[in-house]
């Protein structure tokens, strides 16, 4: 048997001799899963702000199926971590956890359990037996010892627990939901979050939300993100995904990204498993989800919701089950674009107000109430500073990869004597076919950063990803690109205030636009459509219509040879 490693500062025998901060109480955070650890890390700093009377140490419990990533999260956050087995060798004044399934050492130290989702909404596998249990409820022994305190977000949850687990009587604390408070207070920063995610003016952000397990959305419909990206025009929509940290922990980021490789190539914004999902949810225009807490948060934020999966592990009589009863379903095999547009158009404000009312109580008070509870359990007076308020969320991490190839559909018509070119682009990674055909004209367009040689060599239009510094540099790039890719008919690049589009026959079209900024790919699509339709390319103005998003007048002139 190997001896335990020595206990070090700030806890353990003789630690006071070596500690800079002479704390009066020791608070231990039980870190068991990424989800639960992240929830404590998001709340605890506001509670203990500026208070050196409390020494905090994190005890890592490696017994969960979802413990992978916990140590990395703690170390990245600068936390002091000790092995779980040493918890019984120190004097702790309070243990805090957002994971109810913990085995704490014997003693009289109180244990405060925070929810790591919304209340007690799901049945989950019991790690102690081949059965399911109600998520969020601690073992009976901890309740019988009078040590456990369960934080709840709504009085109905107290009644729910009392009916299903009578031993919770008198062991609940009505706190509220710190996460929902943060979502609410951050709503006015939605535009900043959308900009950080690359969502442009007029575009819609569809957020796919999946919990974990075989009945989850990602478990039942793993191809749905890619299918959404194939159905929704690139210039009108962005698609993101919030996947439960348990999926990341159990399968690893490599496996998850490999499983979603096509969707990622097509522009899917796969949100990191910690922190960034909250501003991303605020930014969303619609949530495609399941029975997980994130979907319920989205509904409570008054987002349109479509349920693509809803497992039987939702607890009857809860707010989550109510959402499953009233929210419309998405048919993954149906017309996804039509269903998305119908859901946005038909959404009635406050449609899920009653669901939110049943899930959350006294919004805006959670951190203040939680601080009071923590200091009461620590037997210390609260700091004299004002009670903490929910902080505004920071912008999320930007999307990971840019789309570099598209299936482009152009239709050419005429209005008031002026050509109208309507353009829709879809990421080529999720398109089965990009063969050219009669109008509406279809072609493949790639940037010069496309990594798949099959796409790069098949593209009818090649676009320079970064504008040329000078007109001379743009002309050189066009000439070299068309020489290098004999299958391409057009090469386009930004140059100054407009674009230069070179044709295979040596002509170069100068394009300038009015109105909102366009990228070189759209101006090239306008030229391509006019070329295929036999429209003039010199001293002419065309209306470029980007789906249903916007119109721009584009002036085309042939550059003198």
């Amino acid at each position: 048997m190997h001896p335990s490693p020595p206990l070090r500062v700030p806890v353990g025998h003789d630690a006071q001799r070596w500690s800079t901060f002479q704390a009066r109480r020791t608070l231990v955070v039980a870190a068991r899963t990424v989800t639960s650890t992240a929830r404590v890390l998001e709340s605890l700093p506001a509670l203990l702000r500026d208070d050196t009377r409390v020494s905090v140490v994190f005890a890592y419990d490696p017994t969960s199926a979802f413990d992978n990533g916990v140590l990395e999260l703690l170390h990245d956050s600068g936390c002091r971590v000790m092995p779980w087995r040493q918890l019984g060798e120190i004097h702790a004044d309070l243990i805090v956890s957002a994971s109810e399934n913990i085995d704490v050492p014997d003693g009289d130290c109180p244990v405060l359990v925070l929810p790591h989702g919304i209340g007690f909404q799901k049945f989950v596998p019991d790690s102690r037996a081949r059965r399911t249990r109600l998520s969020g409820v601690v073992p009976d022994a901890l309740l019988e010892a009078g040590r456990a305190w369960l934080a709840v977000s709504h009085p109905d949850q107290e009644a729910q627990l009392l009916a299903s687990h009578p031993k919770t009587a008198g062991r609940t604390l009505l706190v509220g939901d710190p996460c929902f408070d943060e979502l609410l207070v951050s709503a006015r920063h939605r535009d900043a979050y959308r900009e950080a995610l690359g969502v442009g003016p007029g575009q819609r952000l569809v957020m796919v939300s999946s919990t974990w397990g075989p009945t989850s959305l990602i478990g039942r419909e793993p191809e749905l993100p890619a299918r959404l990206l194939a159905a929704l025009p690139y210039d009108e929509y962005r698609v993101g995904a919030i996947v439960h940290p348990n999926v990341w922990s159990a399968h690893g980021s490599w496996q998850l990204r490999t499983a979603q490789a096509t969707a990622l190539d097509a522009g899917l914004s796969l949100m990191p498993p910690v922190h960034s999902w909250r501003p991303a949810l605020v930014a969303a225009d619609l949530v495609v989800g399941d029975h997980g807490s994130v979907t319920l948060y989205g509904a409570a934020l008054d987002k349109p919701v479509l349920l693509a999966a809803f497992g039987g592990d939702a607890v009857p009589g809860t707010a989550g089950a109510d959402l499953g009863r009233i929210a419309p379903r998405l048919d993954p095999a149906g017309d996804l674009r039509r269903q998305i547009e119908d859901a946005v158009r038909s959404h009635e404000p406050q449609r899920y107000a009653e669901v939110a009312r049943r899930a959350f109580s006294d919004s805006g008070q959670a951190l203040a109430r939680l601080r009071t509870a923590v200091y009461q359990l620590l037997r210390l007076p609260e700091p004299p500073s004002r009670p903490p308020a929910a902080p505004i969320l920071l912008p999320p991490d930007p999307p990971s990869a840019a789309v570099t190839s598209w299936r482009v559909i152009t239709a050419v018509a005429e209005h008031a004597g002026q050509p109208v070119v309507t353009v829709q682009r879809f990421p080529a990674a999720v398109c089965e076919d990009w063969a050219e055909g009669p109008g509406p004209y279809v072609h493949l367009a790639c940037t010069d950063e496309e990594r798949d040689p099959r796409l790069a060599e098949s593209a009818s239009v090649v676009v320079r990803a970064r504008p040329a510094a000078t007109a001379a540099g743009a002309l050189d790039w066009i000439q070299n690109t068309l020489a290098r890719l004999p299958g391409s008919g057009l090469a386009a690049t930004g140059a100054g205030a407009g674009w230069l589009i070179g044709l295979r026959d040596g002509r170069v079209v100068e394009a300038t636009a009015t109105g909102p900024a366009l990228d070189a790919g759209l101006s090239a699509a306008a030229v391509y459509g006019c070329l295929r339709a036999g429209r003039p390319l010199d001293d002419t103005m065309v209306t470029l219509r980007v789906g249903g998003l916007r119109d721009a007048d584009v002036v085309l002139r042939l550059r003198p040879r």
Side-chain angles (χ1 to χ4, degrees), residues 181-200 205 207 238 269 271 275-284 301 303 390-399:
D181 288 354
E182 290 175 349
L183 293 169
L184 286 177
V185 78
S186 300
R188 64 181 181 271
H189 294 269
R190 180 172 180 266
D191 289 345
Y193 303 151
R194 291 169 68 83
E195 182 179 357
L197 290 170
V199 183
L205 174 60
M207 193 58 64
R238 291 291 183 265
S269 294
M271 304 313 302
H275 306 318
S276 289
W277 70 267
R278 296 172 296 162
L281 184 63
V282 173
L301 291 174
K303 309 285 184 183
I392 294 170
L393 298 168
L394 295 174
D397 295 332

Side-chain angles (χ1 to χ4, degrees), residues 35 39 42 179 183 197 205-212 216-219 224-225 228 238-248 256 260 264 268-299 301 303 393 396-397:
T35 311
R39 183 56 63 94
E42 290 163 357
C179 181
L183 293 169
L197 290 170
L205 174 60
V206 176
M207 193 58 64
V208 177
S209 164
S210 177
T211 188
W212 62 279
S216 68
L217 184 155
I218 205 72
L224 183 59
L228 284 168
R238 291 291 183 265
V239 178
I242 299 169
V243 178
H244 197 286
N246 282 2
V247 181
W248 293 80
L256 180 56
Q260 294 297 319
L264 290 168
L268 178 70
S269 294
L270 181 59
M271 304 313 302
V274 179
H275 306 318
S276 289
W277 70 267
R278 296 172 296 162
L281 184 63
V282 173
D285 292 287
L286 176 140
V287 177
V288 176
D290 56 16
H291 53 289
S293 290
V294 173
T295 308
L296 184 49
Y297 279 127
L301 291 174
K303 309 285 184 183
L393 298 168
D397 295 332

Side-chain angles (χ1 to χ4, degrees), residues 442-484:
V442 177
H443 70 273
L444 174 65
C446 294
T447 75
D448 56 351
E449 295 180 348
E450 173 57 53
R451 297 178 59 193
D452 188 335
R454 297 168 300 176
L455 295 176
E457 294 169 2
S458 302
S460 297
V461 176
V462 181
V463 179
R464 184 169 178 166
R466 294 171 176 79
T470 65
L475 294 171
D476 286 344
W477 178 85
I478 288 172
Q479 183 178 12
N480 294 335
T481 298
L482 292 175
R484 179 172 53 88

Side-chain angles (χ1 to χ4, degrees), residues 28 58 62 246 272 306 309 318 328 376 458 504 521 534 556:
V28 176
F58 290 74
N246 282 2
L306 286 173
T318 62
Q376 286 178 346
S458 302
R504 172 63 59 186
L556 305 179

Side-chain angles (χ1 to χ4, degrees), residues 468-479 491 493-503 505-512 527 536-540 555-561:
T470 65
L475 294 171
D476 286 344
W477 178 85
I478 288 172
Q479 183 178 12
T493 176
W499 305 272
L500 294 179
I501 300 100
L503 279 60
D505 60 13
R507 290 179 294 171
V508 175
V509 179
E510 296 178 340
T512 56
V527 172
L537 299 176
D538 191 22
D539 292 326
T540 188
V555 177
L556 305 179
R557 293 186 179 89
L558 285 176
R559 184 180 179 89
R561 298 198 185 192

